[in-house]
C-alpha cells in the first residue's frame, strides 16, 4: 500500500496497527518483522495487546480452555482489538491482510456451521461500508503462496509461520480439506470464493441480525452483549463452557432442573 500510495499519489495517510495476542514463539517473532517494516517504510506503528485490553494472553487462555476452542476466543478478541486500536489512532478505515486462502476457509467454515448470515458477508471485499469503521481486504483474490513468493523474491521482511495453536483448531481441519481439493482441482480456492459471491439470501423469509451497541463495552454487536464481553466474563468467572454457546447453557440448566 505504501508503494502504491507513493506511485499513484493516492493521498492516503497510512499507519501500521498490530495486535499482540500473547502467543509465545509466534506473535513475539512476527512483531519483530512488523517493527522492521515500520523502520523500512517509516510509518507510525501502534501495538495493542490482549493483556492490556482484556487482562489475558492467549497462552493463559489456552491453559484454561485447552486447544479445541482457542480460535473462537482469539478471533473474537482480535476483531474487537483492531477496532479499539483503530479508534485509538483515529483511523477511518482498516485494511487487513486476509488472502484468498483465508476467505475460502471462512466460506467453508460458515457452510459447515450453517451460518448463512456470515456466509454472505465473509466474501465482501469491503464490510461495514455504512458504519464508522469500514474494513477492506485488498488481497481477497491473491493466493497465500503468491504473497509469500512476492515477498521472498522482492527480499521483503515477512513472517509466514503458522500460529502454534492453529493445527488443533477447527480452521486447521478445513484448511487441510481445501488443500486436498486443490491438489486435484487447482482453481478450488477461487471457485469457492466465486460460489459464495453468487449466493443470495432472501431476507424476506429469514430474520437477519441487526447491529447495535454492546451495553457493556459500547462496541458494535448483533446482541445486547457482544461476544467479546460474553467470552471475557466466562474467563473471569470460570464459566468458559457456558460462554462458548447457548446450547451448553441451556443443557446445563435443563440438567439442574431434572435433578
Amino acid at each position: 500500500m505504501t508503494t502504491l500510495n507513493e506511485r499513484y499519489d493516492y493521498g492516503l495517510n497510512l499507519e501500521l496497527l498490530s495486535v499482540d495476542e500473547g502467543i509465545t514463539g509466534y506473535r513475539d517473532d512476527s512483531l519483530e518483522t512488523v517493527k522492521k517494516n515500520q523502520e523500512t517504510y517509516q510509518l507510525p506503528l501502534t501495538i495493542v495487546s490482549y493483556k492490556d485490553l482484556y487482562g489475558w494472553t492467549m497462552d493463559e487462555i489456552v491453559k484454561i480452555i485447552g486447544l479445541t476452542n482457542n480460535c473462537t476466543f482469539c478471533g473474537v478478541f482480535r476483531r474487537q482489538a483492531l477496532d479499539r486500536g483503530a479508534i485509538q489512532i483515529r483511523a477511518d478505515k482498516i485494511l487487513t491482510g486476509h488472502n484468498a486462502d483465508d476467505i475460502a476457509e471462512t466460506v467453508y467454515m460458515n457452510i459447515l456451521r450453517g451460518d448463512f448470515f456470515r456466509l454472505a458477508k465473509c466474501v465482501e471485499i469491503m464490510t461495514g461500508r455504512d458504519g464508522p469503521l469500514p474494513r477492506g481486504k485488498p488481497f481477497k483474490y491473491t493466493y497465500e503462496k503468491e504473497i509469500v513468493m512476492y515477498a521472498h523474491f522482492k527480499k521483503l521482511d515477512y513472517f509466514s509461520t503458522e500460529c502454534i495453536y492453529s493445527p488443533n483448531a477447527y480452521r486447521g481441519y478445513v484448511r487441510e480439506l481445501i488443500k486436498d481439493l486443490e491438489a486435484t482441482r487447482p482453481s478450488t480456492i477461487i471457485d469457492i470464493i466465486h460460489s459464495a459471491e453468487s449466493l443470495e439470501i432472501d431476507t424476506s423469509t429469514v430474520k437477519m441480525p441487526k447491529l447495535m451497541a454492546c451495553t457493556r463495552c459500547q462496541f458494535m454487536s448483533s446482541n445486547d452483549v457482544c461476544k467479546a464481553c460474553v467470552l471475557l466474563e466466562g474467563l473471569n468467572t470460570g464459566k468458559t463452557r457456558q460462554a462458548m454457546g447457548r446450547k451448553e447453557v441451556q443443557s446445563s440448566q435443563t440438567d439442574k432442573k431434572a435433578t
Side-chain angles (χ1 to χ4, degrees), residues 150-175:
Y150 178 86
H152 174 74
F153 288 110
K154 285 286 187 178
K155 294 181 171 54
L156 305 178
D157 289 314
Y158 68 98
F159 186 83
S160 61
T161 304
E162 238 181 4
C163 173
I164 59 176
Y165 298 130
S166 63
N168 299 297
Y170 185 41
R171 182 178 289 271
Y173 295 105
V174 173
R175 182 180 295 117

Side-chain angles (χ1 to χ4, degrees), residues 112-179:
L112 295 173
R113 287 190 300 229
D115 194 339
F116 61 87
F117 171 65
R118 287 190 176 88
L119 179 60
K121 192 171 68 170
C122 72
V123 290
E124 293 180 2
I125 197 164
M126 179 74 77
T127 56
R129 294 176 186 271
D130 299 326
L133 204 56
R135 292 190 182 202
K137 298 186 281 280
F139 295 132
K140 174 184 174 181
Y141 296 115
T142 309
Y143 288 97
E144 184 177 65
K145 58 189 174 185
E146 291 176 331
I147 296 172
V148 173
M149 288 175 64
Y150 178 86
H152 174 74
F153 288 110
K154 285 286 187 178
K155 294 181 171 54
L156 305 178
D157 289 314
Y158 68 98
F159 186 83
S160 61
T161 304
E162 238 181 4
C163 173
I164 59 176
Y165 298 130
S166 63
N168 299 297
Y170 185 41
R171 182 178 289 271
Y173 295 105
V174 173
R175 182 180 295 117
E176 289 301 318
L177 171 61
I178 292 177
K179 292 302 181 186

Side-chain angles (χ1 to χ4, degrees), residues 111-254:
I111 290 174
L112 295 173
R113 287 190 300 229
D115 194 339
F116 61 87
F117 171 65
R118 287 190 176 88
L119 179 60
K121 192 171 68 170
C122 72
V123 290
E124 293 180 2
I125 197 164
M126 179 74 77
T127 56
R129 294 176 186 271
D130 299 326
L133 204 56
R135 292 190 182 202
K137 298 186 281 280
F139 295 132
K140 174 184 174 181
Y141 296 115
T142 309
Y143 288 97
E144 184 177 65
K145 58 189 174 185
E146 291 176 331
I147 296 172
V148 173
M149 288 175 64
Y150 178 86
H152 174 74
F153 288 110
K154 285 286 187 178
K155 294 181 171 54
L156 305 178
D157 289 314
Y158 68 98
F159 186 83
S160 61
T161 304
E162 238 181 4
C163 173
I164 59 176
Y165 298 130
S166 63
N168 299 297
Y170 185 41
R171 182 178 289 271
Y173 295 105
V174 173
R175 182 180 295 117
E176 289 301 318
L177 171 61
I178 292 177
K179 292 302 181 186
D180 289 342
L181 293 171
E182 192 180 21
T184 56
R185 185 180 175 89
S187 62
T188 293
I189 288 175
I190 291 298
D191 289 345
I192 292 172
I193 295 174
H194 288 326
S195 296
E197 288 174 333
S198 302
L199 294 176
E200 291 187 10
I201 298 174
D202 185 358
T203 56
S204 64
T205 60
V206 294
K207 185 178 180 180
M208 301 295 286
K210 293 183 179 180
L211 289 178
M212 62 188 78
C214 172
T215 56
R216 296 185 185 178
C217 67
Q218 301 305 310
F219 281 89
M220 297 307 293
S221 170
S222 55
N223 296 297
D224 291 337
V225 181
C226 72
K227 192 63 176 177
C229 287
V230 170
L231 293 177
L232 186 58
E233 182 182 14
L235 286 169
N236 292 332
T237 59
K239 297 179 180 179
T240 54
R241 294 180 66 85
Q242 287 87 340
M244 288 296 297
R246 294 177 180 176
K247 291 183 179 179
E248 292 188 21
V249 176
Q250 293 172 349
S251 62
S252 64
Q253 291 175 344
T254 304

Side-chain angles (χ1 to χ4, degrees), residues 56-67 165:
W56 293 79
T57 66
M58 273 311 299
D59 287 341
E60 293 169 342
I61 293 173
V62 169
K63 288 180 181 178
I64 300 295
I65 67 171
L67 293 170
Y165 298 130

